[in-house]
Amino acid sequence: MARSELRVVVVGAGIMGASIAWHLARTGARVTVLEKLSAPAGGVTHWSFGWVGTGGSLPSGDASYFALETEAVAEFARLRSQLGSLPIAARGALVWLDTEEETSTLISEQQTAGVRIEALSSTRFAEKEPRVAVPPALAAFALDDFAVEPVDLTLQLLAGAQAAGVEVVCNTTVDAIETRGGRVVGVRAGENRFAADTVVLASGASALPLAAALGISLPIREEPAVLMRFAAEPGLVHHLLCGRGLELRPGLSGGLVSAASFPDEGESGLTGLAERTTGKIAGQFAPVPDLSLLSVNAAYRPLTGDGLPLRTFLPGIAGLYTVVAHPGVILAPYLGRLAAHDIVEA
Ligand SMILES: Cc1cc2nc3c(=O)[nH]c(=O)nc-3n(C[C@H](O)[C@H](O)[C@H](O)COP(=O)(O)OP(=O)(O)OC[C@H]3O[C@@H](n4cnc5c(N)ncnc54)[C@H](O)[C@@H]3O)c2cc1C
């Protein structure tokens, strides 16, 4: 089939669906993105911290995963050259672990793996982040790590896709995948049907019931994490910061963004977590900054059984493809490119 005749429905307009749609649009395929919410990027992507880089990962922890992450990060340079300047909220990450020895190991292991990462003394740290009251004695400075605004990047990808002819339809929940003779013929969304030669499930854990209805069991589970947004005075932090139990970065249009683990108490613990985090952040700076919580939310990250990306045609039904991966922001440009290639070359 000619690429211009290939009809693809992408289920889900999060960062993964947007990247797949944009990469597919460049091949000439006829793409429709269906999103159940009223706007794109309203799922987990809306609550993502947006750290792109190798951060605090140790190459010795999981060498193949570290290599994947490094390869995926490099795809952002390609994306920038094809899509234009990206919504970058901060460049460079300062990471300091519980002990200087651990930080030192992080630096030397990542340097050996080819990452541009430097050891910073407290004086050099203070030059980069002058408002931090007590700089750590030793920090790792990852020069090429950055923070992207995940919602803005998703919208940018979809705008590029739409300019190339992709249709994005919101308020449309895909209820079922339609098949005939063992191959995909489209999807059903309420009263509506969308014909397709290929259906891509980029709907996170919501891919589970759609695939299960066809007798396919996907190795996907969900784990919650928490995102908090704060109003804060401009210029309080300039980089990604990770240390003393805090993950912090500036927002692209001001304020601060912080990510945290899901509290042991569950959803009922979110208010307490937000209060503790507000106090903890305020205590890091001198003079104590004006800081007010704008939002705190837990979102459920789609994870795969073995931690590696699921990017594949599914068995038994021709034309059914899925992409689910964590960390999805880092991996989206890379997996979007590979998925588009798989689909048009099938
Ligand atoms: C607090 C937090 C911090 C994070 N930090 C990072 C980070 O620093 N770096 C990183 O790389 N990753 C991070 N992540 C993970 C990252 O956000 C996710 O991996 C990524 O956003 C997943 O994108 P997605 O497009 O697969 O899913 P989603 O954004 O959830 O998109 C799926 C879309 O499908 C739609 N949908 C679902 N079912 C249907 C249906 N039946 N029909 C139509 N539409 C449907 C949903 O509404 C949704 O819009 C973080 C996550 C959290 C929660």
Side-chain angles (χ1 to χ4, degrees):
M1 182 186 297
R3 287 177 178 186
S4 58
E5 288 171 15
L6 182 71
R7 297 162 307 169
V8 185
V9 163
V10 177
V11 184
I15 195 152
M16 202 58 81
S19 176
I20 295 164
W22 182 78
H23 284 88
L24 274 171
R26 293 169 59 81
T27 70
R30 288 155 55 191
V31 183
T32 305
V33 181
L34 302 178
E35 167 56 49
K36 72 175 177 186
L37 300 175
S38 58
V44 185
T45 299
H46 193 80
W47 304 103
S48 183
F49 189 61
W51 186 330
V52 178
T54 45
S57 303
L58 279 176
S60 62
D62 182 341
S64 59
Y65 182 76
F66 191 85
L68 170 72
E69 220 172 31
T70 313
E71 202 174 348
V73 171
E75 295 271 333
F76 279 80
R78 170 189 60 81
L79 193 65
R80 188 164 48 244
S81 71
Q82 296 172 334
L83 189 63
S85 96
L86 305 179
I88 306 294
R91 291 185 191 281
L94 290 154
V95 180
W96 62 110
L97 304 176
D98 289 345
T99 65
E100 284 178 40
E101 197 186 342
E102 285 176 88
T103 306
S104 187
T105 303
L106 173 73
I107 296 165
S108 62
E109 278 204 25
Q110 288 210 6
Q111 280 177 341
T112 306
V115 176
R116 293 204 311 148
I117 192 164
E118 293 174 354
L120 285 194
S121 64
S122 56
T123 311
R124 288 194 57 213
F125 185 105
E127 286 162 12
K128 297 202 178 297
E129 292 292 349
R131 287 289 303 272
V132 170
V134 184
L138 175 69
F141 180 50
L143 285 78
D144 298 326
D145 281 22
F146 59 91
V148 71
E149 287 296 354
V151 172
D152 294 358
L153 179 56
T154 303
L155 298 179
Q156 189 176 348
L157 284 161
L158 287 175
Q162 284 171 302
V166 171
E167 202 185 350
V168 180
V169 187
C170 292
N171 293 311
T172 301
T173 302
V174 172
D175 304 313
I177 296 149
E178 302 203 308
T179 64
R180 197 175 305 132
R183 74 160 301 122
V184 157
V185 292
V187 299
R188 184 165 46 73
E191 299 295 298
N192 298 315
R193 290 191 147 72
F194 296 83
D197 306 299
T198 304
V199 171
V200 182
L201 300 176
S203 46
S206 306
L208 281 168
L210 291 171
L214 299 171
I216 300 168
S217 164
L218 296 177
I220 301 173
R221 63 196 164 84
E222 292 182 301
E223 267 183 23
V226 180
L227 194 83
M228 288 162 270
R229 294 193 173 97
F230 299 88
E233 52 203 81
L236 189 60
V237 296
H238 303 281
H239 304 84
L240 282 151
L241 299 185
C242 180
R244 298 180 184 137
L246 283 174
E247 253 185 45
L248 206 59
R249 69 164 173 88
L252 185 57
S253 41
L256 289 183
V257 183
S258 183
S261 302
F262 192 62
D264 293 340
E265 310 91 299
E267 298 273 342
S268 64
L270 287 179
T271 308
L273 172 69
E275 282 167 7
R276 287 193 301 280
T277 308
T278 309
K280 220 163 157 183
I281 295 173
Q284 295 302 316
F285 298 97
V288 175
D290 279 341
L291 198 65
S292 58
L293 181 72
L294 297 174
S295 65
V296 53
N297 195 74
Y300 287 74
R301 302 165 295 173
L303 277 81
T304 57
D306 61 5
L308 293 172
L310 184 64
R311 172 187 62 86
T312 185
F313 278 106
L314 296 174
I317 310 282
L320 183 58
Y321 192 88
T322 192
V323 184
V324 177
H326 181 79
V329 176
I330 294 180
L331 293 169
Y334 176 62
L335 297 180
R337 177 175 66 76
L338 296 180
H341 179 267
D342 289 350
I343 290 164
V344 297
E345 295 302 327

